[in-house]
């Protein structure tokens, strides 16, 4: 059988679980955990797994605790959560549009975040505001995409075409902002544009975790309507789905996920 059936005798509740989906998710989770462990273990100072485990439970020498808990683990954790946010954002947009081109970078969400972030570096001379500016930029582009693609409803094809156009405009805006700035500010902006988890601390981790803890459940609720939307707008309406409200929610959540990832790692 390709599915598992879970039943609760007293509550008379049952659920069908796709076995392949569970196995794939388990394999991906194991791969992510392995990657994080490797990132913590390897570096200028190589640490055996036993010493890492001892450090995590409160043992180990002070040097190992500093390397693991203050340098490597927050960096790996921020990278993992940022990657998860971008991946979930891509899944939302691609499933919603039924097109693999509809990723946050192609339709301009991350480009809008980058434009506002670079402006914080170069024009406002306020690097500390770059994460907030990136979030504002991503949400601004999402609002423009939704507004410009609206024609008695939101079409997936119009969303992609409008998004590609806005992405090009945002990239041109980034170049324009960079050529206006001082060399020192532009250098910092370029480093931020490339993206890095270097020097990330727990202060970067907790806001990212808080954002995901809010957005992931909302995405899970909205995802229940994606299968109905895949059948077409009329079929979805016939099943009681509030199509435009769900589409707006998906655009907002997808953009917010991409923006918090850009805000965290550039």
């Amino acid at each position: 059988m390709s599915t598992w059936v879970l039943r609760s005798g007293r509550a008379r509740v049952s659920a069908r679980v796709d076995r392949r989906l569970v196995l794939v998710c388990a394999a991906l989770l194991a791969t992510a955990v392995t990657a994080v462990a490797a990132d913590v273990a390897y570096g200028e100072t190589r640490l055996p797994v036993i010493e890492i485990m001892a450090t995590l439970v409160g043992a180990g020498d002070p040097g190992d605790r500093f390397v693991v808990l203050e340098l490597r683990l927050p960096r790996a954790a921020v990278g993992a959560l940022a990657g998860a946010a971008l991946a979930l954002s891509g899944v939302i947009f691609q499933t919603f549009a039924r097109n693999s081109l509809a990723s946050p970078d192609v339709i301009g969400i991350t480009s809008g975040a980058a434009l506002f972030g670079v402006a914080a570096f170069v024009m406002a001379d306020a690097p500390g505001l770059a994460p907030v500016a990136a979030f504002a930029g991503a949400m601004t582009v999402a609002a423009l995409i939704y507004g410009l693609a609206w024609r008695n409803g939101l079409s997936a094809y119009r969303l992609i075409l409008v998004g590609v156009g806005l992405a090009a405009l945002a990239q041109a805006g980034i170049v324009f902002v960079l050529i206006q700035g001082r060399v020192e500010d532009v250098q910092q902006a370029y480093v931020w544009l490339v993206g890095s988890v270097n020097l990330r601390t727990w202060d970067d981790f907790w806001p990212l975790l808080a954002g995901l803890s809010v957005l992931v459940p909302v995405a899970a609720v909205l995802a229940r309507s994606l299968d109905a939307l895949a059948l077409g707008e009329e079929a979805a309406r016939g099943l009681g789905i509030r199509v435009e409200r769900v589409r707006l929610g998906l655009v907002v959540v997808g953009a917010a996920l991409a923006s918090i990832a850009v805000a965290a790692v550039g």
Side-chain angles (χ1 to χ4, degrees):
M1 296 179 63
S2 61
T3 61
W4 287 318
V5 179
L6 306 179
R7 292 189 177 92
S8 175
R10 293 184 177 180
R12 296 182 180 180
V13 175
S14 64
R16 295 172 63 89
V17 180
D18 189 328
R19 181 167 57 183
R20 184 175 64 176
L21 177 63
V22 173
L23 294 176
V24 169
C25 290
L28 292 175
L29 179 61
T31 302
V33 172
T34 302
V36 170
D39 188 40
V40 174
Y42 290 93
E44 186 174 348
T45 303
R46 181 176 176 180
L47 298 174
V49 176
I50 295 178
E51 293 185 12
I52 295 175
M53 297 300 296
T55 301
L56 292 177
V57 298
D61 61 72
D64 289 345
R65 286 199 296 271
F66 176 75
V67 171
V68 172
L69 300 179
E70 300 299 329
L71 296 181
R72 296 183 182 175
L73 187 57
R75 179 185 64 191
V78 168
L81 291 186
L86 284 175
L88 183 55
S89 176
V91 168
I92 289 173
F93 281 115
Q94 290 172 350
T95 305
F96 161 68
R98 289 177 289 174
N99 193 315
S100 58
L101 289 176
S103 59
D105 56 332
V106 172
I107 64 174
I109 302 297
T110 56
S111 297
L115 173 60
F116 277 54
V118 167
F121 278 94
V122 176
M123 303 183 71
D125 194 19
L129 293 179
V132 178
F135 182 85
M139 300 308 294
T140 299
V141 170
L144 288 173
I145 291 173
Y146 192 88
L148 294 174
W150 175 272
R151 292 293 184 277
N152 297 321
L154 184 64
S155 166
Y157 292 106
R158 285 198 299 268
L159 181 144
I160 295 173
L161 292 175
V162 170
V164 170
L166 290 177
L169 288 175
Q171 291 295 331
I174 291 172
V175 174
F176 176 78
V177 171
L178 288 175
I179 64 177
Q180 305 300 314
R182 299 179 303 175
V183 174
E184 298 82 1
D185 296 333
V186 171
Q187 287 177 338
Q188 292 182 12
Y190 264 120
V191 172
W192 185 83
L193 274 175
V194 171
S196 174
V197 294
N198 187 37
L199 301 179
R200 294 299 182 267
T201 66
W202 294 115
D203 291 337
D204 302 294
F205 171 81
W206 295 117
L208 184 56
L209 179 62
L212 282 172
S213 65
V214 173
L215 294 172
V216 169
V218 175
V221 172
L222 293 174
R224 298 168 59 185
S225 302
L226 281 175
D227 290 338
L229 288 175
L231 298 174
E233 183 173 333
E234 295 300 326
R237 292 185 188 278
L239 293 172
I241 303 298
R242 296 181 177 180
V243 175
E244 298 307 328
R245 182 176 298 183
V246 170
R247 284 175 173 171
L248 177 59
L250 289 170
V251 170
V252 171
V253 172
L257 285 166
S259 66
I260 62 174
V262 174
V265 300

